[in-house]
Amino acid sequence: MALTPELSQQTKSKEIVGVTLMSETVDNWSQIQTFQAKPNDLLICTYPKSGTTWIQEIVDMIEQNGDVEKCRRDIIQHRHPFIEWAWPPQPSGVDKANEMPSPRVLKTHLPTQLLPPSFWTSNCKFLYVARNAKDCMVSYYHFYRMSKRLPDPGSWDEYFETFINGKVIWGSWFDHVREWWEIRDRYQILFLFYEDMKRDPKHEIQKVMQFMGKNLDEAVLDKIVQETSFERMKENPMTNRSTVPRSVMDQSISPFMRKGTVGDWKNHFTVAQNERFDAIYKQKMEGTSINFCMEL
Ligand code: PPS
């Protein structure tokens, strides 16, 4: 089947207050900024490649009381509208959210200062997942390689510079994580770590369940742990992006469900890059109390 020009188009990046975003997002900025959040919305917030799809599936499994068939009603990208997503002529993330009945679960990668203001005034719930910077950076590199919408990342060494300078799409990891961490007590924010989810998934899933105001029994929780494991989600066509055309994501270059581990950065960083990264991290994250686990 011939590809429509839209489906084969690579995005150009544009900046808003120094944050690099896809040009289509920036072109749709007024619709995004005037989006009306509701008090019973749950917003899943992450820096890209931090375990967004994983937490989305967990939230949906909790919402559906562990009913696998209900979670298979649609691909994960359609179950939770992605607020800043824009790719005309497809409906935007805002269009999809506006059509969705409440209670809504929504997704964003936006940093705090770019979030539509109604999210702050609606008193809705935010579920933030953070992943250590090095693994996030590696995962994003492989995603850049396989995603035909994102610009070519160049070599690992070139991409390394782009990432530490915060010039990847959705901006600086350092600013994103630091700002969301700093406001965590001012709003209804459940702040989770990818590494904790790997270490003790049941414990973290229980936290999410309580945050969502649900009460599921042990057997259902165990089922959710099992169904949302990396291995199961990698095989699940509703979560593994296998329905996305190759012209958009070429999974023969790198699968969307790639490794799902903690510490893969060690297979990518040179000793010199690691030392440089640690120095930059110290400087950029100075004064914050956030702590990451870099290996399990
Ligand atoms: S995106 O495109 O920003 O929404 O990507 P995101 O879903 O945030 O991140 C993709 C990475 O998360 C890993 N992943 C998982 N890890 C552990 N368990 C489960 N169930 C799981 N599901 C997705 C996925 O493999 C990507 O990480 P890497 O390191 O590239 O494997």
Side-chain angles (χ1 to χ4, degrees):
M1 194 179 78
L3 293 167
T4 60
E6 292 80 16
L7 285 180
S8 57
Q9 239 169 46
Q10 192 180 79
T11 190
K12 290 185 177 56
S13 58
K14 283 187 185 172
E15 288 192 2
I16 290 194
V17 293
V19 178
T20 307
L21 295 168
M22 288 190 187
S23 61
E24 296 82 359
T25 295
V26 176
D27 295 343
N28 194 39
W29 201 239
S30 63
Q31 192 201 31
I32 295 165
Q33 284 299 291
T34 54
F35 173 70
Q36 284 307 306
K38 297 177 186 170
N40 57 355
D41 286 341
L42 171 62
L43 182 64
I44 293 176
C45 320
T46 52
Y47 186 79
K49 315 321 289 182
S50 300
T52 327
T53 313
W54 189 10
I55 197 72
Q56 284 182 265
E57 189 67 1
I58 289 171
V59 165
D60 200 31
M61 282 289 283
I62 294 173
E63 204 173 27
Q64 308 303 334
N65 303 312
D67 187 327
V68 176
E69 286 315 307
K70 284 190 180 160
C71 291
R72 294 203 175 207
R73 68 195 179 281
D74 209 341
I75 54 172
I76 196 90
Q77 305 93 293
H78 290 174
R79 281 182 261 158
H80 303 145
F82 187 5
I83 288 303
E84 66 270 27
W85 185 253
W87 198 4
Q90 297 175 17
S92 68
V94 169
D95 292 335
K96 288 184 180 172
N98 287 339
E99 280 168 16
M100 194 181 192
S102 285
R104 305 181 295 188
V105 176
L106 309 168
K107 160 186 167 178
T108 187
H109 288 319
L110 288 172
T112 57
Q113 86 268 29
L114 295 184
L115 202 67
S118 69
F119 279 108
W120 306 123
T121 50
S122 71
N123 195 32
C124 69
K125 289 183 182 171
F126 302 91
L127 181 41
Y128 191 90
V129 181
R131 187 181 192 182
N132 82 73
K134 292 177 189 176
D135 281 332
C136 220
M137 175 176 170
V138 167
S139 180
Y140 210 1
Y141 173 62
H142 292 293
F143 184 70
Y144 255 92
R145 289 173 53 237
M146 61 84 101
S147 167
K148 299 300 158 197
R149 278 211 75 196
L150 297 181
D152 180 352
S155 66
W156 165 254
D157 291 351
E158 285 163 343
Y159 167 81
F160 187 92
E161 300 303 318
T162 315
F163 187 92
I164 59 176
N165 291 320
K167 294 301 175 194
V168 285
I169 308 276
W170 280 288
S172 159
W173 178 95
F174 306 97
D175 294 346
H176 203 283
V177 172
R178 212 192 45 236
E179 286 157 10
W180 275 101
W181 176 252
E182 275 163 17
I183 63 156
R184 72 194 180 286
D185 295 331
R186 278 196 263 147
Y187 298 90
Q188 293 195 80
I189 300 178
L190 178 66
F191 200 104
L192 299 179
F193 291 89
Y194 179 99
E195 295 75 19
D196 291 340
M197 290 164 63
K198 281 298 290 189
R199 195 191 300 112
D200 191 348
K202 191 170 174 180
H203 187 253
E204 299 310 296
I205 291 171
Q206 259 165 334
K207 282 197 215 166
V208 178
M209 177 190 78
Q210 281 157 9
F211 185 66
M212 290 171 68
K214 297 277 285 189
N215 189 12
L216 303 173
D217 63 37
E218 287 284 313
V220 175
L221 278 175
D222 289 336
K223 186 175 171 195
I224 297 177
V225 172
Q226 206 184 349
E227 292 296 332
T228 59
S229 69
F230 177 76
E231 292 71 24
R232 292 297 269 267
M233 285 182 59
K234 188 177 170 73
E235 296 308 318
N236 180 352
M238 297 298 139
T239 53
N240 66 12
R241 304 296 204 271
S242 56
T243 57
V244 177
R246 199 173 169 144
S247 56
V248 180
M249 284 185 187
D250 188 347
Q251 300 212 37
S252 70
I253 296 176
S254 180
F256 182 83
M257 296 284 171
R258 197 181 58 89
K259 286 194 177 175
T261 56
V262 179
D264 189 38
W265 61 270
K266 290 185 198 161
N267 300 315
H268 293 76
F269 281 56
T270 63
V271 172
Q273 281 173 337
N274 195 33
E275 283 171 4
R276 195 161 147 239
F277 194 93
D278 285 346
I280 290 165
Y281 185 94
K282 205 172 157 203
Q283 180 205 331
K284 290 196 186 280
M285 300 300 277
E286 196 183 355
T288 163
S289 58
I290 198 166
N291 248 315
F292 281 93
C293 160
M294 305 305 291
E295 55 192 305
L296 288 183

